[in-house]
PDB file of all heavy atoms in Angstrom:
ATOM      1  N   ALA A  97     -13.486  36.079 173.218  1.00  0.00           N
ATOM      2  CA  ALA A  97     -13.914  37.322 172.582  1.00  0.00           C
ATOM      3  C   ALA A  97     -13.341  38.506 173.353  1.00  0.00           C
ATOM      4  O   ALA A  97     -13.003  38.395 174.531  1.00  0.00           O
ATOM      5  CB  ALA A  97     -15.434  37.412 172.525  1.00  0.00           C
ATOM      6  N   THR A  98     -13.231  39.639 172.659  1.00  0.00           N
ATOM      7  CA  THR A  98     -12.839  40.906 173.264  1.00  0.00           C
ATOM      8  C   THR A  98     -13.964  41.902 173.023  1.00  0.00           C
ATOM      9  O   THR A  98     -14.446  42.042 171.892  1.00  0.00           O
ATOM     10  CB  THR A  98     -11.526  41.422 172.657  1.00  0.00           C
ATOM     11  OG1 THR A  98     -10.501  40.452 172.868  1.00  0.00           O
ATOM     12  CG2 THR A  98     -11.123  42.739 173.296  1.00  0.00           C
ATOM     13  N   GLU A 156     -12.581  47.619 178.446  1.00  0.00           N
ATOM     14  CA  GLU A 156     -12.207  46.580 177.492  1.00  0.00           C
ATOM     15  C   GLU A 156     -12.206  45.268 178.256  1.00  0.00           C
ATOM     16  O   GLU A 156     -11.512  45.129 179.264  1.00  0.00           O
ATOM     17  CB  GLU A 156     -10.839  46.845 176.885  1.00  0.00           C
ATOM     18  CG  GLU A 156     -10.465  45.793 175.838  1.00  0.00           C
ATOM     19  CD  GLU A 156      -9.155  46.114 175.143  1.00  0.00           C
ATOM     20  OE1 GLU A 156      -9.185  46.865 174.156  1.00  0.00           O
ATOM     21  OE2 GLU A 156      -8.120  45.605 175.618  1.00  0.00           O
ATOM     22  N   LEU A 157     -12.997  44.331 177.786  1.00  0.00           N
ATOM     23  CA  LEU A 157     -13.202  43.066 178.480  1.00  0.00           C
ATOM     24  C   LEU A 157     -12.703  41.919 177.611  1.00  0.00           C
ATOM     25  O   LEU A 157     -12.972  41.882 176.400  1.00  0.00           O
ATOM     26  CB  LEU A 157     -14.694  42.865 178.789  1.00  0.00           C
ATOM     27  CG  LEU A 157     -15.436  44.045 179.419  1.00  0.00           C
ATOM     28  CD1 LEU A 157     -16.929  43.757 179.481  1.00  0.00           C
ATOM     29  CD2 LEU A 157     -14.888  44.344 180.802  1.00  0.00           C
ATOM     30  N   ARG A 158     -12.004  40.988 178.219  1.00  0.00           N
ATOM     31  CA  ARG A 158     -11.573  39.770 177.534  1.00  0.00           C
ATOM     32  C   ARG A 158     -12.101  38.571 178.299  1.00  0.00           C
ATOM     33  O   ARG A 158     -12.035  38.522 179.533  1.00  0.00           O
ATOM     34  CB  ARG A 158     -10.062  39.715 177.407  1.00  0.00           C
ATOM     35  CG  ARG A 158      -9.484  40.742 176.459  1.00  0.00           C
ATOM     36  CD  ARG A 158      -8.065  40.382 176.038  1.00  0.00           C
ATOM     37  NE  ARG A 158      -7.148  40.436 177.167  1.00  0.00           N
ATOM     38  CZ  ARG A 158      -6.516  41.525 177.564  1.00  0.00           C
ATOM     39  NH1 ARG A 158      -6.694  42.667 176.914  1.00  0.00           N
ATOM     40  NH2 ARG A 158      -5.685  41.485 178.594  1.00  0.00           N
ATOM     41  N   GLY A 159     -12.623  37.586 177.563  1.00  0.00           N
ATOM     42  CA  GLY A 159     -13.181  36.402 178.196  1.00  0.00           C
ATOM     43  C   GLY A 159     -13.880  35.530 177.189  1.00  0.00           C
ATOM     44  O   GLY A 159     -13.496  35.495 176.005  1.00  0.00           O
ATOM     45  N   PHE A 188     -21.444  36.665 178.938  1.00  0.00           N
ATOM     46  CA  PHE A 188     -20.000  36.836 178.781  1.00  0.00           C
ATOM     47  C   PHE A 188     -19.337  36.638 180.134  1.00  0.00           C
ATOM     48  O   PHE A 188     -19.720  37.268 181.124  1.00  0.00           O
ATOM     49  CB  PHE A 188     -19.703  38.237 178.233  1.00  0.00           C
ATOM     50  CG  PHE A 188     -18.261  38.462 177.858  1.00  0.00           C
ATOM     51  CD1 PHE A 188     -17.752  37.952 176.683  1.00  0.00           C
ATOM     52  CD2 PHE A 188     -17.422  39.199 178.684  1.00  0.00           C
ATOM     53  CE1 PHE A 188     -16.431  38.168 176.320  1.00  0.00           C
ATOM     54  CE2 PHE A 188     -16.097  39.418 178.338  1.00  0.00           C
ATOM     55  CZ  PHE A 188     -15.599  38.898 177.150  1.00  0.00           C
ATOM     56  N   ASP A 189     -18.366  35.730 180.197  1.00  0.00           N
ATOM     57  CA  ASP A 189     -17.577  35.508 181.402  1.00  0.00           C
ATOM     58  C   ASP A 189     -16.247  36.238 181.264  1.00  0.00           C
ATOM     59  O   ASP A 189     -15.457  35.933 180.363  1.00  0.00           O
ATOM     60  CB  ASP A 189     -17.336  34.008 181.617  1.00  0.00           C
ATOM     61  CG  ASP A 189     -18.598  33.280 182.045  1.00  0.00           C
ATOM     62  OD1 ASP A 189     -19.582  33.961 182.382  1.00  0.00           O
ATOM     63  OD2 ASP A 189     -18.602  32.031 182.032  1.00  0.00           O
ATOM     64  N   ILE A 190     -16.003  37.206 182.135  1.00  0.00           N
ATOM     65  CA  ILE A 190     -14.811  38.055 182.030  1.00  0.00           C
ATOM     66  C   ILE A 190     -13.620  37.367 182.691  1.00  0.00           C
ATOM     67  O   ILE A 190     -13.699  36.913 183.832  1.00  0.00           O
ATOM     68  CB  ILE A 190     -15.064  39.425 182.701  1.00  0.00           C
ATOM     69  CG1 ILE A 190     -16.248  40.138 182.038  1.00  0.00           C
ATOM     70  CG2 ILE A 190     -13.816  40.298 182.626  1.00  0.00           C
ATOM     71  CD1 ILE A 190     -16.651  41.425 182.725  1.00  0.00           C
ATOM     72  N   ASP A 191     -12.524  37.322 181.967  1.00  0.00           N
ATOM     73  CA  ASP A 191     -11.244  36.873 182.530  1.00  0.00           C
ATOM     74  C   ASP A 191     -10.355  38.056 182.899  1.00  0.00           C
ATOM     75  O   ASP A 191      -9.588  37.998 183.859  1.00  0.00           O
ATOM     76  CB  ASP A 191     -10.509  35.970 181.533  1.00  0.00           C
ATOM     77  CG  ASP A 191     -11.270  34.689 181.253  1.00  0.00           C
ATOM     78  OD1 ASP A 191     -11.955  34.193 182.169  1.00  0.00           O
ATOM     79  OD2 ASP A 191     -11.205  34.186 180.114  1.00  0.00           O
ATOM     80  N   HIS A 192     -10.438  39.137 182.104  1.00  0.00           N
ATOM     81  CA  HIS A 192      -9.612  40.314 182.352  1.00  0.00           C
ATOM     82  C   HIS A 192     -10.403  41.544 181.930  1.00  0.00           C
ATOM     83  O   HIS A 192     -11.122  41.528 180.925  1.00  0.00           O
ATOM     84  CB  HIS A 192      -8.304  40.245 181.544  1.00  0.00           C
ATOM     85  CG  HIS A 192      -7.464  41.473 181.679  1.00  0.00           C
ATOM     86  ND1 HIS A 192      -6.709  41.738 182.798  1.00  0.00           N
ATOM     87  CD2 HIS A 192      -7.271  42.521 180.822  1.00  0.00           C
ATOM     88  CE1 HIS A 192      -6.080  42.884 182.644  1.00  0.00           C
ATOM     89  NE2 HIS A 192      -6.392  43.377 181.451  1.00  0.00           N
TER      90      HIS A 192
END
Side-chain angles (χ1 to χ4, degrees):
T98 301
E156 182 175 274
L157 312 172
R158 291 198 294 273
F188 188 77
D189 289 348
I190 301 174
D191 296 327
H192 176 76

